[in-house]
Amino acid sequence: QVQLVESGGGLVQSGGSLRLSCAASGSIFSIQTMGWYRQAPGKQRELVARITSGGSTNYVDSVKGRFTISRDNARNSVYLQMNSLKPEDTAVYYCNLRGVNLLRNPFVSWGQGTQVTVSS
């Protein structure tokens, strides 16, 4: 089993910054992709940013130029630096990992979610 622990959410004014962190532990052999999703009230969960094991990244258009995803493979961790935050960024943010466990089976794990609230 793979456990994810998220941190870094909170309340910030428009234009401010936050940094989300997600650390994975447990039965991990390798991690392919690490990503952040978000879900605002009444909306579907959407992919915000994703990073592959090779370091390739992709972002939803609405956060390009403002958010940066990074990973620390040695710590099985992924980060999301969020700058120039806007009220429409308000959502619960979820960490997501896809990899292979110690039994050599693929897995997908989700964090518990962390609230990000941006006031205008």
Side-chain angles (χ1 to χ4, degrees), residues 98-117:
R98 298 173 184 268
V100 176
N101 63 24
L102 295 177
L103 297 178
R104 303 302 190 267
N105 293 323
F107 72 84
V108 178
S109 287
W110 290 91
Q112 78 280 7
T114 186
Q115 178 70 47
V116 171
T117 303

Side-chain angles (χ1 to χ4, degrees), residues 42-96:
K43 294 188 177 182
Q44 288 190 333
R45 189 175 296 189
E46 67 170 351
L47 174 66
V48 176
R50 182 169 49 202
I51 184 168
T52 69
S53 57
S56 298
T57 59
N58 63 285
Y59 299 88
V60 65
D61 285 347
S62 60
V63 309
K64 286 180 180 177
R66 301 188 297 121
F67 291 10
T68 302
I69 190 170
S70 60
R71 63 189 282 172
D72 183 337
N73 291 328
R75 291 181 168 81
N76 288 335
S77 295
V78 62
Y79 310 96
L80 186 67
Q81 178 66 45
M82 304 184 294
N83 298 329
S84 301
L85 282 161
K86 304 175 181 180
E88 51 263 43
D89 294 317
T90 295
V92 177
Y93 284 70
Y94 296 91
C95 175
N96 171 269

